[in-house]
Amino acid sequence: LPSDAAAVCVVQARMGSTRLPGKVLADIDGRPMLRFMLDRLAALTVAKLVVATSALDRDDPIEAVATAAGVAVVRGSEHDVLDRFRLAVETYPAPVVIRLTGDCPLTDASLVTDVLARHRDTAADYTSNVFPRTFPKGLDVEVMTRAALDEAVEHARLPIEREHVTPYLYRHPERFRLANLSSGLLLGDERWTVDTADDLTFVRGLVERMGGDGHFTWRQAFECVGATASRPPGALWLRPVSAADADRVREWRNDPESLRFSRTTEPVGAATHEAWFATRLDNPQSRFWVGVVDDVAVGFVRIDVADAQGRVSLAVDPSERGRGHGTAMLVAAQRQLALDLQVDVVTAEVSPDNAASRRAFLAAGFTHQGVVDGFERFAWNNARQ
Ligand SMILES: CC(C)(COP(=O)(O)OP(=O)(O)OC[C@H]1O[C@@H](n2cnc3c(N)ncnc32)[C@H](O)[C@@H]1OP(=O)(O)O)[C@@H](O)C(=O)NCCC(=O)NCCS
């Protein structure tokens, strides 16, 4: 049996949008954007496809579009979107729940199926393709067990956890088993979602170039439009670590300076490192990136997540130190973390003798919080909270 059959797919949509009001009804290929998306999702073989919108009058057009597409609708709170999901799964029960958002018209049914398969194969509580992000933004798929969703419904209290539905799960890798699907490509900086007028122009152009009835896969679209994110010469950007980085990460970690300033001053052995590193690939409980400047890997930054808090580790290649890369990696990591809601505070522990590290954290906007067990503690608040 395909894993889809056990799933209910919930698309959240509303007219209210601060940047582009009514965007879900904006015309794409002669149809309202939401209709375009639902038509593409008709290829899914899930037990039920449901649009979850608010009970506000202004969301009546959303119900009308969904109904015209033959898709079920539930209506609930505008801001407590988690409660809308509760309503959706109580109305259409299934052991697995898929979350999609109505401002992502390029959402690909075959990708939804791939994330579902990953979810089944890993036996995770929550599986997505965004931690780390290797697909264009706008192809986000989140899959969770009904049991995990029920726990979030019952326990999530913070407004962001209610509004964004899933933070209660992915902020707590200590409680929920998280998994990720990677594209195998470095497309996390591409924008295929519709949040601004520019985004809408991009998506319309893409759909026009693809032609036909809009039933193309994301890979076909990518082959057509290619990557558009700009990476200026000399600028640092972050890519998720891959298996090929194992040796260089170990070298950076075992360099004498790194050891001198770490709590464990012993070098990490090859076997121990290999085993540990393998568990960190595509693991949403560690945000783990390599800093790249002009195609050269200059260092790593890692944020280990537990209980909505992140702990930073970083090291720069010994031959690349003192050129601003350490600071730039911290700033780039902050930018990544501000795009999602996985952590609210990021902390670091720095040896009192580690002047470069202390200055890098200060330059990136971390504040000094005092001394804990002989190490300086620095913290940064993820502003989006
Ligand atoms: C700490 C580390 C990541 C900093 O990265 P970096 O790329 O060398 O740092 P930057 O070039 O961004 O410089 C950061 C700040 O430190 C200063 N700095 C750089 N090297 C320095 C040194 N050897 N001594 C004192 N200050 C130094 C820079 O002038 C800059 O300060 P400013 O912003 O006030 O001008 C890097 O030195 C490293 O990998 N060290 C070994 C591993 C380690 O200690 N990791 C951190 C553990 S908490």
Side-chain angles (χ1 to χ4, degrees):
L1 205 68
S3 51
D4 310 29
V8 57
C9 180
V10 184
V11 180
Q12 63 177 75
R14 63 171 185 143
M15 293 296 285
S17 152
T18 37
R19 289 218 250 183
L20 205 56
K23 65 184 178 183
V24 292
L25 299 188
D27 182 280
I28 297 214
D29 194 34
R31 287 167 272 179
M33 187 165 106
L34 179 62
R35 177 64 192 257
F36 181 86
M37 179 177 176
L38 295 175
D39 287 348
R40 280 170 59 76
L41 291 175
L44 280 176
T45 53
V46 290
K48 197 78 189 175
L49 177 60
V50 188
V51 168
T53 192
S54 90
L56 298 178
D57 291 348
R58 72 163 178 221
D59 281 328
D60 289 353
I62 289 183
E63 174 162 7
V65 167
T67 305
V71 173
V73 178
V74 294
R75 300 186 68 165
S77 162
E78 189 186 27
H79 294 293
D80 188 349
V81 188
L82 179 53
D83 194 63
R84 265 194 249 161
F85 275 69
R86 176 199 58 76
L87 187 61
V89 298
E90 275 177 17
T91 313
Y92 302 104
V96 175
V97 183
I98 304 161
R99 172 176 181 245
L100 302 173
T101 57
D103 54 1
C104 294
L106 299 178
T107 302
D108 180 338
S110 70
L111 182 54
V112 174
T113 303
D114 291 348
V115 178
L116 271 170
R118 177 95 184 138
H119 183 74
R120 184 196 51 213
D121 295 348
T122 55
D125 299 311
Y126 168 93
T127 307
S128 76
N129 60 346
V130 300
F131 297 115
R133 202 176 264 292
T134 57
F135 289 89
K137 176 148 180 51
L139 296 177
D140 300 10
V141 179
E142 297 177 281
V143 174
M144 68 216 85
T145 62
R146 168 77 192 270
L149 180 68
D150 286 349
E151 269 196 64
V153 167
E154 190 179 344
H155 299 295
R157 291 279 172 274
L158 298 175
I160 54 156
E161 294 170 341
R162 309 291 317 184
E163 182 182 346
H164 298 277
V165 185
T166 44
Y168 186 80
L169 306 181
Y170 58 72
R171 288 180 148 209
H172 295 288
E174 76 284 1
R175 256 179 267 166
F176 299 100
R177 193 184 162 97
L178 311 180
N180 185 64
L181 180 79
S182 168
S183 72
L185 301 169
L186 299 173
L187 303 178
D189 294 330
E190 305 299 319
R191 267 191 82 79
W192 288 16
T193 182
V194 177
D195 216 15
T196 66
D198 282 351
D199 294 339
L200 186 58
T201 305
F202 172 80
V203 169
R204 280 179 176 152
L206 187 156
V207 169
E208 205 172 294
R209 280 176 71 177
M210 296 308 294
D213 55 4
H215 288 284
F216 48 85
T217 66
W218 80 269
R219 276 187 194 276
Q220 289 165 336
F222 177 64
E223 275 159 27
C224 178
V225 296
T228 60
S230 75
R231 298 203 167 114
L236 180 138
W237 60 283
L238 297 180
R239 62 164 173 79
V241 279
S242 69
D245 295 314
D247 290 346
R248 61 166 69 95
V249 168
R250 179 163 165 259
E251 278 165 30
W252 295 333
R253 170 68 184 75
N254 281 348
D255 147 78
E257 283 279 286
S258 299
L259 291 177
R260 185 155 75 90
F261 295 133
S262 120
R263 277 202 194 273
T264 49
T265 49
E266 288 298 304
V268 180
T272 312
H273 176 76
E274 289 284 326
W276 169 84
F277 192 80
T279 68
R280 286 300 181 273
L281 296 173
D282 282 325
N283 184 341
Q285 97 186 45
S286 286
R287 312 295 293 274
F288 196 172
W289 296 282
V290 167
V292 180
V293 179
D294 297 335
D295 290 332
V296 177
V298 298
F300 76 83
V301 55
R302 195 179 84 240
I303 319 274
D304 289 324
V305 179
D307 201 17
Q309 311 260 316
R311 281 179 62 122
V312 195
S313 312
L314 84 159
V316 167
D317 185 290
S319 70
E320 295 280 350
R321 289 182 191 159
R323 299 178 184 180
H325 299 328
T327 308
M329 286 202 302
L330 288 173
V331 170
Q334 289 166 317
R335 205 174 298 132
Q336 293 289 332
L337 295 174
L339 292 173
D340 58 61
L341 302 161
Q342 195 176 21
V343 294
D344 52 13
V345 176
V346 179
T347 61
E349 289 187 352
V350 179
S351 158
D353 304 324
N354 196 346
S357 184
R358 157 207 292 270
R359 291 178 68 161
F361 280 105
L362 291 174
F366 282 68
T367 53
H368 189 241
Q369 306 275 302
V371 177
V372 178
D373 297 335
F375 273 57
E376 312 269 359
R377 193 184 145 98
F378 289 88
W380 172 75
N381 272 292
N382 195 3
R384 182 139 172 217
Q385 318 308 299

